[in-house]
Amino acid sequence: MSKYTINTLTEEKANGRVYTPPHIVNNILDLCGYGGDAVLQKHVIDNSCGNGAFLIEVVRRYCEAAGNTGMSAEQLGDELATFIHGIEIDKDVRDECVGNMNAAAQSFGVSGVDWDVFVADALKVTRYSGKMDYVVGNPPYIRVHNLSDKYGEVKKYSFTQNGMTDLFIVFYEIGLNMLNKDGVLGYITPSSLYNSLAAASMRKRLTTDRAIRKVVNLRHYQPFDATAYTTIMVLAKDYRDTIDYFEYDEAERLPIFVSELTYDEFCIDDKFIFGEKTALSELRSIASCIIDSPICEVKNGFATLCDDFFIGDFPFGEYTIPIVKASTGALSECLFPYDNGGKLISYEHLARNPKIREHYEAHAHILKNRSLGDMTLWHGFGRSQGINDVWRKKYAVNTLIRGTSDIKLSVCDEGCGVYGGLYILTELDIGEIKNILLTDEFISYV
């Protein structure tokens, strides 16, 4: 995965680089059909190659296939230079990649390969358009508002016309553009593309073109040291009405075939929902229901974009409220710089309290470096969600749910905030809510 410079909080987020474990590399290459004699004289590229996780295995597979033909080391070196390609934006990482590829080739007696792995921004590369038999990789995951200088460039792509997009969505379009008419693309990326607003244009295009070949839902298995749920998507340009759906066996480290699905079965309300046919039929029935008077609303909790500043134990009581972390049910204290109508209190007014002023002054540089909207002032929360409902009774609920035992439901009285999950606004009492949530039917739906 490539490196991109952004306005940053952590190194992984800052460079967009999370390296791919070997078993995931092998899974993707196998799903794409990159193996055996099929690899010979076929162009393959990783357009965000990082230190070469995919390209190392590509080299190994190509050399093994060539060895079965009796090809000379000299000819093999020429073919490796001709048919294997990579793009990496960071020169030092590119050099590391080439070193790793050299080591892989040398284990087959091949040296001195003039690798076609070069330093460039994949968003600006057109030389491979329409030429690749295989595009594989683990594109960078970076929300576009975190990119320091690429917002306009990213938004030029047709896949990125909705919402606050992510760089990995652009790489799907870049990869498809690189494929020839018979080419195959295989990526591992966040599974948010199934239902996010940011990926709406992408889903529409993939559906219209019938471009999906295989989907592997990794579900709760997380191959990276990150919290994002992931999926493997295999795409192609030839029109096909059905896809193969797999789920991931963590113990075996293999995708397990579940079902062949039609687009009508997994496209529900302009979103992708994958599963067994019976479950999808039930979900479609639920989605088609028209509810005149909903009994509850479910909303996102606070997004301060700096919880360490706004949430904790404070040496002042003014402008604070109790707050519940929905993911754990833990109760804390929150600096809440808003009035009862949800309007942000001026910094000058807050700073009349010397301890509050001291707290802000000590963290001003962090607050001002958050990814704030044009109308958001530096001393308030990063996003406005949840603020207007502080003075309403609600129920905090976590989002990471595998079974009924995982559900954490907390009562939040008027004046209490919620973060780290969702909250429910309803006239139902907690017993009635539990009778809905703590059921096998609800877990199946989730």
Side-chain angles (χ1 to χ4, degrees):
M1 181 180 289
S2 276
K3 179 175 179 181
Y4 280 83
T5 302
I6 62 174
N7 296 323
T8 92
L9 295 182
T10 68
E11 182 179 354
E12 272 189 2
K13 188 173 181 180
N15 59 32
R17 187 190 300 123
V18 180
Y19 292 120
T20 314
H23 63 280
I24 294 293
V25 171
N26 283 301
N27 294 156
I28 292 174
L29 294 176
D30 290 344
L31 288 162
C32 289
Y34 191 86
D37 293 344
V39 310
L40 295 176
Q41 297 190 346
K42 296 294 177 65
H43 290 281
V44 57
I45 189 168
D46 182 346
N47 52 32
S48 57
C49 63
N51 68 355
F54 282 87
L55 295 184
I56 294 165
E57 179 60 19
V58 164
V59 170
R60 191 190 67 77
R61 292 188 181 203
Y62 201 104
C63 290
E64 281 191 348
N68 296 331
T69 69
M71 187 184 301
S72 69
E74 182 180 0
Q75 182 183 350
L76 177 53
D78 289 341
E79 292 202 4
L80 293 175
T82 300
F83 294 102
I84 298 176
H85 315 274
I87 303 172
E88 170 53 46
I89 201 168
D90 184 288
K91 182 182 183 304
D92 291 339
V93 178
R94 179 267 181 195
D95 291 345
E96 183 183 353
C97 175
V98 168
N100 291 333
M101 294 171 70
N102 281 330
Q106 286 165 4
S107 69
F108 290 88
V110 180
S111 59
V113 179
D114 183 18
W115 299 107
D116 183 36
V117 180
F118 70 109
V119 178
D121 182 346
L123 276 66
K124 300 177 181 178
V125 175
T126 59
R127 62 190 283 186
Y128 300 110
S129 297
K131 298 178 181 178
M132 294 295 106
D133 297 288
Y134 300 93
V135 176
V136 296
N138 175 8
Y141 319 160
I142 307 174
R143 293 293 295 274
V144 72
H145 65 261
N146 286 322
L147 291 163
S148 59
D149 56 359
K150 295 184 182 293
Y151 182 84
E153 197 171 330
V154 166
K155 279 294 190 176
K156 291 178 182 177
Y157 284 84
S158 64
F159 280 13
T160 60
Q161 298 307 301
N162 300 98
M164 190 62 73
T165 194
D166 195 297
L167 195 59
F168 80 85
I169 295 173
V170 182
F171 272 80
Y172 272 105
E173 187 167 351
I174 291 170
L176 283 170
N177 289 342
M178 289 180 171
L179 292 181
N180 61 32
K181 64 182 180 63
D182 299 315
V184 179
L185 177 151
Y187 282 164
I188 182 168
T189 65
S191 58
S192 59
L193 66 86
Y194 293 170
N195 51 34
S196 69
L197 174 62
S201 294
M202 174 181 166
R203 289 194 300 273
K204 183 176 181 180
R205 164 85 173 275
L206 297 183
T207 301
T208 300
D209 292 351
R210 295 295 195 264
I212 305 173
R213 293 294 161 271
K214 300 172 184 177
V215 173
V216 183
N217 186 352
L218 277 73
R219 299 171 66 85
H220 294 291
Y221 172 53
Q222 295 178 322
F224 308 109
D225 185 18
T227 57
Y229 287 119
T230 51
T231 184
I232 295 170
M233 299 282 285
V234 177
L235 311 179
K237 286 188 172 180
D238 59 315
Y239 193 97
R240 193 177 300 171
D241 283 324
T242 61
I243 73 159
D244 292 334
Y245 172 62
F246 301 77
E247 292 181 356
Y248 203 76
D249 186 320
E250 182 176 353
E252 296 295 328
R253 293 187 167 184
L254 288 171
I256 305 300
F257 178 76
V258 175
S259 185
E260 183 180 60
L261 300 174
T262 67
Y263 283 78
D264 286 341
E265 287 174 319
F266 70 82
C267 294
I268 301 175
D269 283 348
D270 298 321
K271 298 177 175 61
F272 292 165
I273 302 178
F274 299 104
E276 295 179 346
K277 288 178 178 286
T278 301
L280 292 178
S281 178
E282 292 175 355
L283 282 170
R284 186 174 290 280
S285 297
I286 293 171
S288 64
C289 290
I290 299 174
I291 302 174
D292 294 327
S293 302
I295 60 174
C296 66
E297 291 181 86
V298 181
K299 297 185 177 183
N300 288 303
F302 293 164
T304 71
L305 303 191
C306 194
D307 287 350
D308 288 345
F309 172 83
F310 286 102
I311 298 168
D313 296 321
F314 302 110
F316 47 84
E318 196 175 15
Y319 304 113
T320 64
I321 60 171
I323 190 169
V324 169
K325 186 171 187 177
S327 60
T328 64
L331 184 66
S332 302
E333 192 176 9
C334 176
L335 171 58
F336 188 69
Y338 297 88
D339 64 21
N340 288 359
K343 182 179 179 181
L344 182 63
I345 298 168
S346 71
Y347 175 70
E348 291 72 23
H349 190 86
L350 295 169
R352 293 177 184 176
N353 183 315
K355 292 183 178 179
I356 293 178
R357 182 178 67 249
E358 180 181 351
H359 186 56
Y360 268 107
E361 288 176 349
H363 298 86
H365 63 294
I366 298 174
L367 296 172
K368 291 177 181 179
N369 282 328
R370 292 175 297 164
S371 302
L372 302 176
D374 292 339
M375 303 301 292
T376 305
L377 298 180
W378 73 274
H379 68 286
F381 291 175
R383 301 287 182 267
S384 61
Q385 63 196 46
I387 292 171
N388 290 331
D389 292 327
V390 164
W391 304 103
R392 300 175 66 182
K393 183 175 179 179
K394 52 202 161 291
Y395 301 91
V397 63
N398 57 310
T399 56
L400 192 60
I401 296 172
R402 299 178 179 88
T404 54
S405 61
D406 293 324
I407 294 177
K408 298 177 178 62
L409 195 63
S410 306
V411 179
C412 303
D413 292 323
E414 295 89 343
C416 182
V418 177
Y419 79 111
L422 306 173
Y423 62 91
I424 303 167
L425 295 173
T426 182
E427 295 300 318
L428 300 179
D429 63 36
I430 194 166
E432 293 172 302
I433 295 174
K434 287 182 177 180
N435 288 338
I436 296 171
L437 301 189
L438 301 180
T439 62
D440 292 338
E441 284 180 302
F442 179 73
I443 297 304
S444 176
Y445 173 75
V446 170

